[in-house]
Amino acid sequence: MAILVYVEGSEGEIKKSSLEAVSYAAALAKNLNTDVTALVMGSLPADQVELAGKYGASVVLHASDAKLDQAQGEPYASVITAAAEKAGADIVLMAKSSLADSMAGRVAAKLKAGLVTNVVDLPSTDGGFKVKKSIFTGKAFVHAEVKSDKKVLTVSKNAFPASETGGQANVETFEPQLDDSVFRVKVTNTEKASGDILLTEADIVVSGGRGLKGPENWNLVEDLAKALGAATGCSKPVSDLDWRPHHEHVGQTGVKVAPNLYIALGISGAIQHLAGVNSSKVIVVINKDPEAPFFKAADYGIVGDVFDVVPKLTEAVKALR
Amino acid sequence: MKILVCISHVPDTTSKISFTDNDTKLNTSGVQFIIGPYDEYALSRAIELKEGSGGTVTVLNVGEADTEPTIRKALAIGADDAIRVNAAPKDGYFVAQQIAAVAKDGNYDMILMGRESIDYNGGMVHAIVGELLNLPSVSPVMKLDVEGNKAVMNREIEGGKETVEVEMPFIAGCQEPIAEWKIPNMRGIMSARTKPLNVVDPVGTDDVVSFTSYELPPTKGECKMIDASEPEKLVELLKNEAKVL
Ligand SMILES: Cc1cc2nc3c(=O)[nH]c(=O)nc-3n(C[C@H](O)[C@H](O)[C@H](O)COP(=O)(O)OP(=O)(O)OC[C@H]3O[C@@H](n4cnc5c(N)ncnc54)[C@H](O)[C@@H]3O)c2cc1C
């Protein structure tokens, strides 16, 4: 049972969630007594291309065709499938991401493989192949049994730690046939906030809600985030009101996050917001209403006015760092 | 324009989730079922497109007879007719195969659905249908306009958005703010009762994934409260107790 893991780059670097997926692949390979082949696409610095080796891949296939510099589901899915065939892989893994969502299904259909997304633990492999996944937007889990010979899994963020094995991989150039017909979706413009910490990849997230009163007060959220090296998020009404861009909106209908630390400022903690954050390891809530539902989901809480508490908290963080 | 909108039938977002039968079944007592919220965004946009330039909107659900009230709601919102594939939706792959079988000869200009269902959060159906029908698929789509024979869409990417163009036919997994949700009016509700709802048999598929048992996350401990005048205490606890700083 050979394993292929797709490793995603963003802005010249391999994403942390992908290194988690490589570590997951390495742990699974150990249980199954097999090897891990990693696949990297597009142009990336050599040290990033090799990085999967440090986390347990023995081979890195690098598909460096310039046509792949722009990540798109359909062509990427065909390269992953070709790489799985080359590596003789029965199991294809990738980190859950917005890109993975657009290609995992295609890879599964090409391989006639059962697909389980949002996997949170290693599969049990004695007597079948059963794996636990998150469902109901983090409100529960289900054990899924994959019965097909080939299997595709997407690994939830922060569910499995990335750990270095000290290994090294052989990097091989991979040149699959790229048929023009798979480039049917044409990207005409990309707007990306550069320099910011990616919300979905961040270890710490500081989010603001309607309690911040308006976009002019967002420096409170940003200053605390900066002091913590955190990404910033917001509740849905905040993005609906255009105080913040839509891609910062956290929750059931927005981005799902699973950082080590989630700090909610002036957010009530409606169930739809909680659904996007309840996989966070530690939750801190600052809200002036002691009855705010968020306190029920929090590990630490302060009942207080954000305009008063947050600047002091930022100073306390700066004093520590 | 001929649009197919695929809808899921899922527990309302505020539902408290629990399981019965030794954690092998969802406890549906007291749970209200709704059109998947992302699917409802897709449906709303389809109806706007129809209102703008004409055409038809067909809704499709893979589900047993108990999903019909959800399908009728979609008809009340403004879909013209509906198809129900008479089968329990076993997993995303199964659902995608049923959708592809219905859509294969339907000559739809676009197949819209939500980016994911909010029960199993698979997020896979649009891509599998795309592959099975050899059509391009785009997800998650936040804006969708038609210009002649092509669609211009905004797709959310991590940390931003992309504008993409694709020729029809295509498949899109939708999310907000692609359209405003539509509230069915009395006329819609009345006419929904008489709009055609065709029930078709499922096609045979390989059984690739089955769900064996469910589990709830461990219950949270008490929230530790810190006085608003001592934010440094919080920082100390995050560093030394929770070890997240
Ligand atoms: C289908 C559906 C999907 C949804 N999806 C999402 C989603 O993905 N994400 C999401 O966030 N919401 C979502 N919602 C909306 C959700 O139900 C809530 O309306 C929303 O989360 C509330 O945002 P909020 O807490 O920022 O605002 P509010 O509900 O207005 O709460 C503001 C909070 O700030 C506190 N506050 C006010 N002033 C201060 C101050 N000076 N200092 C400290 N605290 C203060 C108040 O006590 C209050 O608790 C969804 C709703 C529906 C119906």
Side-chain angles (χ1 to χ4, degrees):
Chain A
M1 274 219 185
I3 299 174
L4 178 82
V5 55
Y6 165 65
V7 178
E8 188 175 338
S10 170
E11 316 222 326
E13 274 185 34
I14 297 300
K15 290 167 77 175
K16 181 182 141 235
S17 54
S18 278
L19 297 176
E20 292 169 359
V22 178
S23 292
Y24 181 101
L28 178 57
K30 206 168 154 206
N31 291 349
L32 297 172
N33 199 13
T34 183
D35 298 323
V36 176
T37 302
L39 167 69
V40 180
M41 282 189 251
S43 54
L44 278 165
D47 63 326
Q48 295 296 307
V49 172
E50 291 159 10
L51 199 56
K54 284 198 181 143
Y55 291 81
S58 51
V59 176
V60 174
L61 300 176
H62 185 201
S64 60
D65 194 312
K67 280 195 207 152
L68 298 170
D69 281 351
Q70 183 136 55
Q72 284 299 320
E74 206 180 341
Y76 270 39
S78 52
V79 177
I80 293 172
T81 310
E85 274 156 20
K86 181 179 159 71
D90 309 299
I91 302 174
V92 177
L93 297 170
M94 61 190 89
K96 159 91 180 163
S97 72
S98 125
L99 176 64
D101 281 355
S102 63
M103 50 190 205
R106 286 194 173 262
V107 174
K110 283 177 199 285
L111 295 174
K112 301 197 177 0
L115 164 61
V116 185
T117 58
N118 276 318
V119 162
V120 295
D121 210 345
L122 283 175
S124 73
T125 50
D126 36 296
F129 189 99
K130 269 193 199 165
V131 66
K132 181 170 159 182
K133 79 166 248 130
S134 160
I135 53 171
F136 293 108
T137 325
K139 285 193 266 184
F141 300 101
V142 68
H143 294 266
E145 183 171 6
V146 189
K147 299 176 191 162
S148 47
D149 295 340
K150 299 225 160 61
K151 297 151 178 80
V152 181
L153 309 179
T154 73
V155 183
S156 244
K157 282 171 184 140
N158 251 335
F160 199 86
S163 57
E164 291 198 31
T165 58
Q168 218 184 342
N170 284 330
V171 177
E172 293 176 18
T173 308
F174 181 52
E175 291 171 335
Q177 247 205 300
L178 280 172
D179 199 297
D180 276 346
S181 67
V182 295
F183 293 91
R184 294 185 276 195
V185 176
K186 300 215 167 26
V187 179
T188 55
N189 186 37
T190 305
E191 285 171 40
K192 213 167 170 178
S194 62
D196 290 354
I197 299 170
L198 216 47
L199 182 57
T200 47
E201 294 282 302
D203 282 329
I204 305 180
V205 174
V206 179
S207 275
R210 204 144 51 175
L212 265 295
K213 308 278 191 278
E216 67 282 4
N217 299 322
W218 230 258
N219 60 315
L220 283 183
V221 180
E222 280 163 349
D223 290 350
L224 177 59
K226 199 160 168 231
L228 288 163
T232 54
C234 66
S235 66
K236 177 171 146 66
V238 165
S239 68
D240 287 349
L241 290 162
D242 271 338
W243 296 357
R244 300 298 295 172
H246 187 269
H247 65 255
E248 284 198 5
H249 146 209
V250 170
Q252 171 117 46
T253 47
V255 178
K256 278 120 202 153
V257 296
N260 287 328
L261 174 59
Y262 185 80
I263 304 184
L265 308 175
I267 303 181
S268 58
I271 196 158
Q272 298 91 353
H273 186 83
L274 290 181
V277 306
N278 53 13
S279 304
S280 308
K281 294 226 161 73
V282 173
I283 295 178
V284 171
V285 169
I286 302 177
N287 195 308
K288 69 177 183 188
D289 173 10
E291 301 300 323
F294 223 146
F295 286 117
K296 290 206 175 66
D299 299 280
Y300 299 96
I302 292 181
V303 176
D305 190 321
V306 286
F307 294 97
D308 169 39
V309 177
V310 177
K312 287 192 212 147
L313 180 60
T314 305
E315 286 314 309
V317 171
K318 281 188 190 153
L320 174 86
R321 297 241 150 163
Chain B
M1 204 156 34
K2 230 180 138 192
I3 308 177
L4 183 68
V5 180
C6 308
I7 60 168
S8 57
H9 162 87
V10 292
D12 163 29
T13 36
T14 58
S15 305
K16 197 167 159 39
I17 298 300
S18 64
F19 303 101
T20 59
D21 291 30
N22 214 3
D23 289 334
T24 58
K25 282 205 179 75
L26 176 71
N27 180 2
T28 53
S29 86
V31 171
Q32 200 195 332
F33 282 81
I34 56 167
I35 303 173
Y38 297 114
D39 308 330
E40 201 163 336
Y41 280 113
L43 174 63
S44 300
R45 185 63 192 138
I47 288 161
E48 287 174 2
L49 288 170
K50 178 182 98 154
E51 285 167 356
S53 52
T56 56
V57 173
T58 300
V59 286
L60 167 60
N61 167 257
V62 179
E64 293 176 311
D66 61 331
T67 70
E68 290 202 357
T70 302
I71 300 174
R72 291 280 173 211
K73 163 113 191 272
L75 292 170
I77 289 171
D80 299 284
D81 57 354
I83 302 167
R84 177 170 69 80
V85 178
N86 188 21
K90 279 192 262 181
D91 91 303
Y93 203 139
F94 173 85
V95 171
Q97 283 175 308
Q98 303 307 329
I99 293 172
V102 168
K104 193 165 45 91
D105 303 315
N107 290 319
Y108 295 102
D109 296 297
M110 61 180 86
I111 303 174
L112 305 184
M113 60 185 80
R115 62 181 289 186
E116 66 179 31
S117 68
I118 62 161
D119 49 6
Y120 284 74
N121 305 111
M124 60 174 86
V125 174
H126 44 81
I128 300 178
V129 174
E131 192 60 34
L132 295 175
L133 296 177
N134 189 22
L135 291 177
S137 56
V138 182
S139 177
V141 175
M142 302 155 64
K143 188 168 187 281
L144 190 170
D145 292 308
V146 173
E147 291 176 9
N149 191 34
K150 68 175 194 224
V152 179
M153 295 181 261
N154 273 352
R155 183 175 97 87
E156 181 157 340
I157 53 172
E158 281 163 11
K161 62 182 177 196
E162 254 175 17
T163 309
V164 303
E165 288 181 6
V166 63
E167 276 188 21
M168 292 194 264
F170 68 95
I171 294 155
C174 304
Q175 70 169 39
E176 64 162 0
I178 195 165
E180 289 282 333
W181 275 4
K182 312 239 165 315
I183 315 276
N185 56 26
M186 206 25 113
R187 218 177 93 223
I189 295 167
M190 297 307 286
S191 65
R193 291 190 194 154
T194 54
K195 284 179 180 171
L197 195 171
N198 302 308
V199 179
V200 300
D201 285 330
V203 291
T205 60
D206 296 332
D207 191 10
V208 288
V209 171
S210 64
F211 298 107
T212 53
S213 65
Y214 298 88
E215 200 178 307
L216 289 172
T219 43
K220 272 261 173 198
E222 278 277 287
C223 176
K224 201 174 243 184
M225 299 308 291
I226 295 127
D227 198 277
S229 62
E230 300 180 299
E232 59 290 344
K233 179 90 191 295
L234 173 63
V235 176
E236 194 266 320
L237 287 168
L238 292 176
K239 184 175 162 61
N240 298 320
E241 186 177 80
K243 300 198 182 346
V244 286
L245 290 185

